[in-house]
Amino acid sequence: MRIDIVSIFPDYLAPLELSLPGKARDKGLLDIAVHDLRRWTYDRHRTVDDTPYGGGAGMVMKPEPWGEALDELTADSTPTIIFTTPSGEPFTQKVARELSTEQHLVFACGRYEGIDQRVIDHASQWGRVRETSLGDYVLNGGEVAALAVTEAVVRLLPGFMGNPDSLVEESHEDGLLEYPVYTKPAAWRGHEVPAVLMSGNHGAIAAWRHEQRVERTARRRPDLVHASHLDEQSSVRVAT
Ligand code: 6GU
């Protein structure tokens, strides 16, 4: 996979070029490049923003630098272009799985009040377009979102994880949160490890873990609970 990230704060993303990809890069799975949007400005002040037509607070990112950046980064491929914006579709594990099958991702990190809408409207000329949000809160810019999406996607690349089994069981892969985990010692500051985990009864352990997953999900994320998760063995009642 190739990933290009365009930002006015490339230093924010610099660690990506080292640590996380270090592993994926060494394995030949990934090539990441971070680009400063100002490389595609030509005025003395390297201007990337201007005041909004129609008035209002804040500044809008000018279309011209984005146009040149995306012309260059799509010159020899047709990538998926991800505009990070709090107005986007929520980023989920399902989206991460979809993105992990792509050959080339280009992240356009928005700042200020956003990017001139004509860039997004034009972007289907360069590739598939997604507008993606990390969640229902506002960050100063899309850089943290690009970092989060990249990390979620790269760990799904075939061959990246040492033990791919650990991907199957984790939170959000099957719509339930993960069960609680324990390690030695068996008692710590008066807190005991649940006895079932030391029983050696694999059936009982699996049933307990499933019940814990359903109960946790019902309490913390009732929006994720489906009837299919509630079989007889785990008919969980959640106190209200
Ligand atoms: Cl992608 N960008 C910004 N600025 N804020 C956000 C976000 C993105 N996702 C959640 N909040």
Side-chain angles (χ1 to χ4, degrees), residues 44-75:
R44 166 188 283 278
H45 296 107
R46 311 188 83 190
T47 311
V48 293
D49 61 335
D50 206 337
T51 54
Y53 276 117
M59 300 290 271
V60 174
M61 297 190 98
K62 295 166 62 60
E64 301 96 320
W66 283 112
E68 294 214 17
L70 291 167
D71 282 343
E72 182 172 327
L73 297 175
T74 64

PDB file of all heavy atoms in Angstrom, residues 44-75:
ATOM      1  N   ARG A  44       4.765  34.975  -1.842  1.00  0.00           N
ATOM      2  CA  ARG A  44       5.778  35.248  -0.817  1.00  0.00           C
ATOM      3  C   ARG A  44       5.396  34.653   0.542  1.00  0.00           C
ATOM      4  O   ARG A  44       6.247  34.142   1.264  1.00  0.00           O
ATOM      5  CB  ARG A  44       5.943  36.766  -0.718  1.00  0.00           C
ATOM      6  CG  ARG A  44       6.697  37.267   0.494  1.00  0.00           C
ATOM      7  CD  ARG A  44       6.621  38.797   0.584  1.00  0.00           C
ATOM      8  NE  ARG A  44       7.526  39.441  -0.356  1.00  0.00           N
ATOM      9  CZ  ARG A  44       8.847  39.633  -0.120  1.00  0.00           C
ATOM     10  NH1 ARG A  44       9.376  39.213   1.010  1.00  0.00           N
ATOM     11  NH2 ARG A  44       9.598  40.242  -1.002  1.00  0.00           N
ATOM     12  N   HIS A  45       4.108  34.729   0.876  1.00  0.00           N
ATOM     13  CA  HIS A  45       3.685  34.268   2.204  1.00  0.00           C
ATOM     14  C   HIS A  45       3.201  32.807   2.214  1.00  0.00           C
ATOM     15  O   HIS A  45       2.744  32.324   3.233  1.00  0.00           O
ATOM     16  CB  HIS A  45       2.606  35.206   2.771  1.00  0.00           C
ATOM     17  CG  HIS A  45       3.121  36.584   3.014  1.00  0.00           C
ATOM     18  ND1 HIS A  45       2.782  37.660   2.218  1.00  0.00           N
ATOM     19  CD2 HIS A  45       3.999  37.055   3.935  1.00  0.00           C
ATOM     20  CE1 HIS A  45       3.410  38.731   2.644  1.00  0.00           C
ATOM     21  NE2 HIS A  45       4.165  38.392   3.687  1.00  0.00           N
ATOM     22  N   ARG A  46       3.278  32.156   1.071  1.00  0.00           N
ATOM     23  CA  ARG A  46       2.883  30.736   0.952  1.00  0.00           C
ATOM     24  C   ARG A  46       1.460  30.536   1.506  1.00  0.00           C
ATOM     25  O   ARG A  46       1.207  29.678   2.344  1.00  0.00           O
ATOM     26  CB  ARG A  46       3.901  29.838   1.662  1.00  0.00           C
ATOM     27  CG  ARG A  46       5.332  30.180   1.269  1.00  0.00           C
ATOM     28  CD  ARG A  46       6.325  29.188   1.809  1.00  0.00           C
ATOM     29  NE  ARG A  46       6.411  28.011   0.937  1.00  0.00           N
ATOM     30  CZ  ARG A  46       7.050  26.893   1.260  1.00  0.00           C
ATOM     31  NH1 ARG A  46       7.633  26.769   2.438  1.00  0.00           N
ATOM     32  NH2 ARG A  46       7.099  25.890   0.426  1.00  0.00           N
ATOM     33  N   THR A  47       0.549  31.341   0.987  1.00  0.00           N
ATOM     34  CA  THR A  47      -0.808  31.412   1.533  1.00  0.00           C
ATOM     35  C   THR A  47      -1.632  30.179   1.181  1.00  0.00           C
ATOM     36  O   THR A  47      -1.699  29.782   0.012  1.00  0.00           O
ATOM     37  CB  THR A  47      -1.529  32.655   0.950  1.00  0.00           C
ATOM     38  OG1 THR A  47      -0.661  33.781   1.110  1.00  0.00           O
ATOM     39  CG2 THR A  47      -2.850  32.893   1.636  1.00  0.00           C
ATOM     40  N   VAL A  48      -2.276  29.596   2.188  1.00  0.00           N
ATOM     41  CA  VAL A  48      -3.140  28.433   1.953  1.00  0.00           C
ATOM     42  C   VAL A  48      -4.597  28.712   2.310  1.00  0.00           C
ATOM     43  O   VAL A  48      -5.458  27.849   2.091  1.00  0.00           O
ATOM     44  CB  VAL A  48      -2.662  27.198   2.742  1.00  0.00           C
ATOM     45  CG1 VAL A  48      -1.315  26.705   2.219  1.00  0.00           C
ATOM     46  CG2 VAL A  48      -2.603  27.489   4.238  1.00  0.00           C
ATOM     47  N   ASP A  49      -4.886  29.901   2.871  1.00  0.00           N
ATOM     48  CA  ASP A  49      -6.265  30.162   3.303  1.00  0.00           C
ATOM     49  C   ASP A  49      -6.684  31.569   2.925  1.00  0.00           C
ATOM     50  O   ASP A  49      -5.866  32.412   2.571  1.00  0.00           O
ATOM     51  CB  ASP A  49      -6.406  29.948   4.811  1.00  0.00           C
ATOM     52  CG  ASP A  49      -5.517  30.896   5.622  1.00  0.00           C
ATOM     53  OD1 ASP A  49      -4.491  31.374   5.094  1.00  0.00           O
ATOM     54  OD2 ASP A  49      -5.856  31.173   6.776  1.00  0.00           O
ATOM     55  N   ASP A  50      -8.009  31.783   2.969  1.00  0.00           N
ATOM     56  CA  ASP A  50      -8.551  33.110   2.658  1.00  0.00           C
ATOM     57  C   ASP A  50      -9.915  33.228   3.344  1.00  0.00           C
ATOM     58  O   ASP A  50     -10.432  32.243   3.883  1.00  0.00           O
ATOM     59  CB  ASP A  50      -8.654  33.278   1.126  1.00  0.00           C
ATOM     60  CG  ASP A  50      -8.598  34.742   0.687  1.00  0.00           C
ATOM     61  OD1 ASP A  50      -8.913  35.644   1.509  1.00  0.00           O
ATOM     62  OD2 ASP A  50      -8.246  34.985  -0.489  1.00  0.00           O
ATOM     63  N   THR A  51     -10.495  34.420   3.277  1.00  0.00           N
ATOM     64  CA  THR A  51     -11.784  34.647   3.972  1.00  0.00           C
ATOM     65  C   THR A  51     -12.929  33.995   3.201  1.00  0.00           C
ATOM     66  O   THR A  51     -12.868  33.856   1.977  1.00  0.00           O
ATOM     67  CB  THR A  51     -12.044  36.159   4.083  1.00  0.00           C
ATOM     68  OG1 THR A  51     -11.960  36.735   2.764  1.00  0.00           O
ATOM     69  CG2 THR A  51     -11.012  36.822   4.987  1.00  0.00           C
ATOM     70  N   PRO A  52     -13.983  33.585   3.914  1.00  0.00           N
ATOM     71  CA  PRO A  52     -15.092  32.892   3.232  1.00  0.00           C
ATOM     72  C   PRO A  52     -15.988  33.849   2.432  1.00  0.00           C
ATOM     73  O   PRO A  52     -16.353  34.916   2.933  1.00  0.00           O
ATOM     74  CB  PRO A  52     -15.878  32.262   4.389  1.00  0.00           C
ATOM     75  CG  PRO A  52     -15.523  33.048   5.603  1.00  0.00           C
ATOM     76  CD  PRO A  52     -14.157  33.627   5.374  1.00  0.00           C
ATOM     77  N   TYR A  53     -16.309  33.443   1.190  1.00  0.00           N
ATOM     78  CA  TYR A  53     -17.390  34.133   0.469  1.00  0.00           C
ATOM     79  C   TYR A  53     -18.657  34.019   1.294  1.00  0.00           C
ATOM     80  O   TYR A  53     -18.939  32.956   1.873  1.00  0.00           O
ATOM     81  CB  TYR A  53     -17.637  33.461  -0.889  1.00  0.00           C
ATOM     82  CG  TYR A  53     -16.715  33.926  -1.985  1.00  0.00           C
ATOM     83  CD1 TYR A  53     -15.840  33.045  -2.601  1.00  0.00           C
ATOM     84  CD2 TYR A  53     -16.747  35.256  -2.426  1.00  0.00           C
ATOM     85  CE1 TYR A  53     -14.999  33.448  -3.620  1.00  0.00           C
ATOM     86  CE2 TYR A  53     -15.908  35.686  -3.454  1.00  0.00           C
ATOM     87  CZ  TYR A  53     -15.041  34.777  -4.045  1.00  0.00           C
ATOM     88  OH  TYR A  53     -14.208  35.188  -5.046  1.00  0.00           O
ATOM     89  N   GLY A  54     -19.436  35.099   1.342  1.00  0.00           N
ATOM     90  CA  GLY A  54     -20.684  35.090   2.102  1.00  0.00           C
ATOM     91  C   GLY A  54     -20.503  35.495   3.540  1.00  0.00           C
ATOM     92  O   GLY A  54     -21.489  35.634   4.281  1.00  0.00           O
ATOM     93  N   GLY A  55     -19.221  35.668   3.947  1.00  0.00           N
ATOM     94  CA  GLY A  55     -18.941  36.113   5.306  1.00  0.00           C
ATOM     95  C   GLY A  55     -18.937  34.977   6.304  1.00  0.00           C
ATOM     96  O   GLY A  55     -19.108  33.814   5.949  1.00  0.00           O
ATOM     97  N   GLY A  56     -18.735  35.341   7.548  1.00  0.00           N
ATOM     98  CA  GLY A  56     -18.689  34.346   8.616  1.00  0.00           C
ATOM     99  C   GLY A  56     -17.310  34.267   9.234  1.00  0.00           C
ATOM    100  O   GLY A  56     -16.356  34.859   8.736  1.00  0.00           O
ATOM    101  N   ALA A  57     -17.269  33.500  10.323  1.00  0.00           N
ATOM    102  CA  ALA A  57     -16.039  33.420  11.116  1.00  0.00           C
ATOM    103  C   ALA A  57     -15.020  32.523  10.430  1.00  0.00           C
ATOM    104  O   ALA A  57     -15.365  31.620   9.683  1.00  0.00           O
ATOM    105  CB  ALA A  57     -16.355  32.885  12.500  1.00  0.00           C
ATOM    106  N   GLY A  58     -13.754  32.786  10.709  1.00  0.00           N
ATOM    107  CA  GLY A  58     -12.682  31.871  10.321  1.00  0.00           C
ATOM    108  C   GLY A  58     -12.270  31.989   8.879  1.00  0.00           C
ATOM    109  O   GLY A  58     -12.735  32.859   8.144  1.00  0.00           O
ATOM    110  N   MET A  59     -11.371  31.091   8.503  1.00  0.00           N
ATOM    111  CA  MET A  59     -10.771  31.101   7.176  1.00  0.00           C
ATOM    112  C   MET A  59     -11.058  29.783   6.472  1.00  0.00           C
ATOM    113  O   MET A  59     -11.309  28.767   7.119  1.00  0.00           O
ATOM    114  CB  MET A  59      -9.259  31.307   7.298  1.00  0.00           C
ATOM    115  CG  MET A  59      -8.870  32.610   7.987  1.00  0.00           C
ATOM    116  SD  MET A  59      -9.247  34.061   6.976  1.00  0.00           S
ATOM    117  CE  MET A  59      -7.708  34.180   6.043  1.00  0.00           C
ATOM    118  N   VAL A  60     -10.983  29.827   5.146  1.00  0.00           N
ATOM    119  CA  VAL A  60     -11.245  28.642   4.319  1.00  0.00           C
ATOM    120  C   VAL A  60      -9.970  28.317   3.550  1.00  0.00           C
ATOM    121  O   VAL A  60      -9.270  29.226   3.086  1.00  0.00           O
ATOM    122  CB  VAL A  60     -12.414  28.931   3.342  1.00  0.00           C
ATOM    123  CG1 VAL A  60     -12.615  27.782   2.367  1.00  0.00           C
ATOM    124  CG2 VAL A  60     -13.699  29.233   4.120  1.00  0.00           C
ATOM    125  N   MET A  61      -9.673  27.022   3.406  1.00  0.00           N
ATOM    126  CA  MET A  61      -8.481  26.638   2.641  1.00  0.00           C
ATOM    127  C   MET A  61      -8.734  26.868   1.153  1.00  0.00           C
ATOM    128  O   MET A  61      -9.732  26.413   0.593  1.00  0.00           O
ATOM    129  CB  MET A  61      -8.100  25.183   2.934  1.00  0.00           C
ATOM    130  CG  MET A  61      -7.722  24.986   4.399  1.00  0.00           C
ATOM    131  SD  MET A  61      -6.985  23.368   4.731  1.00  0.00           S
ATOM    132  CE  MET A  61      -5.243  23.840   4.693  1.00  0.00           C
ATOM    133  N   LYS A  62      -7.806  27.566   0.512  1.00  0.00           N
ATOM    134  CA  LYS A  62      -7.908  27.933  -0.902  1.00  0.00           C
ATOM    135  C   LYS A  62      -7.833  26.684  -1.785  1.00  0.00           C
ATOM    136  O   LYS A  62      -7.102  25.746  -1.479  1.00  0.00           O
ATOM    137  CB  LYS A  62      -6.740  28.842  -1.300  1.00  0.00           C
ATOM    138  CG  LYS A  62      -6.720  30.180  -0.624  1.00  0.00           C
ATOM    139  CD  LYS A  62      -5.367  30.897  -0.803  1.00  0.00           C
ATOM    140  CE  LYS A  62      -5.027  31.200  -2.255  1.00  0.00           C
ATOM    141  NZ  LYS A  62      -6.029  32.069  -2.912  1.00  0.00           N
ATOM    142  N   PRO A  63      -8.528  26.689  -2.915  1.00  0.00           N
ATOM    143  CA  PRO A  63      -8.523  25.496  -3.756  1.00  0.00           C
ATOM    144  C   PRO A  63      -7.226  25.245  -4.529  1.00  0.00           C
ATOM    145  O   PRO A  63      -6.872  24.082  -4.767  1.00  0.00           O
ATOM    146  CB  PRO A  63      -9.681  25.733  -4.730  1.00  0.00           C
ATOM    147  CG  PRO A  63      -9.902  27.206  -4.757  1.00  0.00           C
ATOM    148  CD  PRO A  63      -9.494  27.702  -3.396  1.00  0.00           C
ATOM    149  N   GLU A  64      -6.502  26.315  -4.918  1.00  0.00           N
ATOM    150  CA  GLU A  64      -5.393  26.102  -5.873  1.00  0.00           C
ATOM    151  C   GLU A  64      -4.291  25.178  -5.362  1.00  0.00           C
ATOM    152  O   GLU A  64      -3.847  24.279  -6.101  1.00  0.00           O
ATOM    153  CB  GLU A  64      -4.791  27.449  -6.337  1.00  0.00           C
ATOM    154  CG  GLU A  64      -5.775  28.396  -7.011  1.00  0.00           C
ATOM    155  CD  GLU A  64      -6.344  29.416  -6.037  1.00  0.00           C
ATOM    156  OE1 GLU A  64      -6.641  29.038  -4.886  1.00  0.00           O
ATOM    157  OE2 GLU A  64      -6.481  30.590  -6.429  1.00  0.00           O
ATOM    158  N   PRO A  65      -3.797  25.374  -4.105  1.00  0.00           N
ATOM    159  CA  PRO A  65      -2.728  24.454  -3.649  1.00  0.00           C
ATOM    160  C   PRO A  65      -3.211  23.008  -3.595  1.00  0.00           C
ATOM    161  O   PRO A  65      -2.463  22.090  -3.994  1.00  0.00           O
ATOM    162  CB  PRO A  65      -2.380  24.984  -2.251  1.00  0.00           C
ATOM    163  CG  PRO A  65      -2.821  26.426  -2.261  1.00  0.00           C
ATOM    164  CD  PRO A  65      -4.049  26.452  -3.132  1.00  0.00           C
ATOM    165  N   TRP A  66      -4.444  22.787  -3.165  1.00  0.00           N
ATOM    166  CA  TRP A  66      -4.983  21.424  -3.118  1.00  0.00           C
ATOM    167  C   TRP A  66      -5.068  20.835  -4.517  1.00  0.00           C
ATOM    168  O   TRP A  66      -4.768  19.652  -4.730  1.00  0.00           O
ATOM    169  CB  TRP A  66      -6.357  21.405  -2.455  1.00  0.00           C
ATOM    170  CG  TRP A  66      -6.285  21.525  -0.961  1.00  0.00           C
ATOM    171  CD1 TRP A  66      -6.706  22.581  -0.192  1.00  0.00           C
ATOM    172  CD2 TRP A  66      -5.752  20.555  -0.050  1.00  0.00           C
ATOM    173  NE1 TRP A  66      -6.459  22.322   1.137  1.00  0.00           N
ATOM    174  CE2 TRP A  66      -5.877  21.098   1.256  1.00  0.00           C
ATOM    175  CE3 TRP A  66      -5.163  19.295  -0.201  1.00  0.00           C
ATOM    176  CZ2 TRP A  66      -5.450  20.416   2.392  1.00  0.00           C
ATOM    177  CZ3 TRP A  66      -4.735  18.612   0.928  1.00  0.00           C
ATOM    178  CH2 TRP A  66      -4.881  19.168   2.210  1.00  0.00           C
ATOM    179  N   GLY A  67      -5.481  21.672  -5.480  1.00  0.00           N
ATOM    180  CA  GLY A  67      -5.593  21.178  -6.855  1.00  0.00           C
ATOM    181  C   GLY A  67      -4.256  20.694  -7.377  1.00  0.00           C
ATOM    182  O   GLY A  67      -4.147  19.591  -7.933  1.00  0.00           O
ATOM    183  N   GLU A  68      -3.207  21.490  -7.147  1.00  0.00           N
ATOM    184  CA  GLU A  68      -1.880  21.087  -7.633  1.00  0.00           C
ATOM    185  C   GLU A  68      -1.339  19.878  -6.887  1.00  0.00           C
ATOM    186  O   GLU A  68      -0.720  18.993  -7.482  1.00  0.00           O
ATOM    187  CB  GLU A  68      -0.909  22.262  -7.498  1.00  0.00           C
ATOM    188  CG  GLU A  68      -1.293  23.405  -8.416  1.00  0.00           C
ATOM    189  CD  GLU A  68      -0.072  24.145  -8.929  1.00  0.00           C
ATOM    190  OE1 GLU A  68       1.060  23.591  -8.839  1.00  0.00           O
ATOM    191  OE2 GLU A  68      -0.241  25.262  -9.415  1.00  0.00           O
ATOM    192  N   ALA A  69      -1.576  19.857  -5.564  1.00  0.00           N
ATOM    193  CA  ALA A  69      -1.102  18.724  -4.754  1.00  0.00           C
ATOM    194  C   ALA A  69      -1.739  17.433  -5.251  1.00  0.00           C
ATOM    195  O   ALA A  69      -1.051  16.418  -5.457  1.00  0.00           O
ATOM    196  CB  ALA A  69      -1.430  18.945  -3.276  1.00  0.00           C
ATOM    197  N   LEU A  70      -3.044  17.472  -5.464  1.00  0.00           N
ATOM    198  CA  LEU A  70      -3.745  16.240  -5.844  1.00  0.00           C
ATOM    199  C   LEU A  70      -3.453  15.874  -7.301  1.00  0.00           C
ATOM    200  O   LEU A  70      -3.395  14.680  -7.622  1.00  0.00           O
ATOM    201  CB  LEU A  70      -5.233  16.382  -5.536  1.00  0.00           C
ATOM    202  CG  LEU A  70      -5.495  16.416  -4.011  1.00  0.00           C
ATOM    203  CD1 LEU A  70      -6.905  16.870  -3.688  1.00  0.00           C
ATOM    204  CD2 LEU A  70      -5.212  15.055  -3.362  1.00  0.00           C
ATOM    205  N   ASP A  71      -3.233  16.867  -8.170  1.00  0.00           N
ATOM    206  CA  ASP A  71      -2.760  16.549  -9.532  1.00  0.00           C
ATOM    207  C   ASP A  71      -1.477  15.728  -9.459  1.00  0.00           C
ATOM    208  O   ASP A  71      -1.341  14.680 -10.101  1.00  0.00           O
ATOM    209  CB  ASP A  71      -2.441  17.835 -10.318  1.00  0.00           C
ATOM    210  CG  ASP A  71      -3.669  18.549 -10.864  1.00  0.00           C
ATOM    211  OD1 ASP A  71      -4.750  17.931 -10.926  1.00  0.00           O
ATOM    212  OD2 ASP A  71      -3.532  19.743 -11.223  1.00  0.00           O
ATOM    213  N   GLU A  72      -0.530  16.207  -8.651  1.00  0.00           N
ATOM    214  CA  GLU A  72       0.783  15.547  -8.597  1.00  0.00           C
ATOM    215  C   GLU A  72       0.700  14.162  -7.971  1.00  0.00           C
ATOM    216  O   GLU A  72       1.270  13.195  -8.485  1.00  0.00           O
ATOM    217  CB  GLU A  72       1.768  16.436  -7.822  1.00  0.00           C
ATOM    218  CG  GLU A  72       3.164  15.830  -7.779  1.00  0.00           C
ATOM    219  CD  GLU A  72       4.202  16.778  -7.174  1.00  0.00           C
ATOM    220  OE1 GLU A  72       4.081  18.016  -7.351  1.00  0.00           O
ATOM    221  OE2 GLU A  72       5.131  16.261  -6.521  1.00  0.00           O
ATOM    222  N   LEU A  73      -0.046  14.052  -6.852  1.00  0.00           N
ATOM    223  CA  LEU A  73      -0.050  12.781  -6.109  1.00  0.00           C
ATOM    224  C   LEU A  73      -0.905  11.708  -6.774  1.00  0.00           C
ATOM    225  O   LEU A  73      -0.830  10.539  -6.409  1.00  0.00           O
ATOM    226  CB  LEU A  73      -0.511  13.023  -4.666  1.00  0.00           C
ATOM    227  CG  LEU A  73       0.433  13.934  -3.864  1.00  0.00           C
ATOM    228  CD1 LEU A  73      -0.157  14.230  -2.486  1.00  0.00           C
ATOM    229  CD2 LEU A  73       1.822  13.302  -3.726  1.00  0.00           C
ATOM    230  N   THR A  74      -1.712  12.113  -7.760  1.00  0.00           N
ATOM    231  CA  THR A  74      -2.540  11.130  -8.476  1.00  0.00           C
ATOM    232  C   THR A  74      -2.071  10.951  -9.910  1.00  0.00           C
ATOM    233  O   THR A  74      -2.761  10.331 -10.723  1.00  0.00           O
ATOM    234  CB  THR A  74      -4.029  11.555  -8.482  1.00  0.00           C
ATOM    235  OG1 THR A  74      -4.159  12.767  -9.219  1.00  0.00           O
ATOM    236  CG2 THR A  74      -4.556  11.750  -7.073  1.00  0.00           C
ATOM    237  N   ALA A  75      -0.887  11.486 -10.236  1.00  0.00           N
ATOM    238  CA  ALA A  75      -0.436  11.493 -11.626  1.00  0.00           C
ATOM    239  C   ALA A  75      -0.322  10.084 -12.202  1.00  0.00           C
ATOM    240  O   ALA A  75      -0.622   9.868 -13.369  1.00  0.00           O
ATOM    241  CB  ALA A  75       0.914  12.220 -11.746  1.00  0.00           C
TER     242      ALA A  75
END
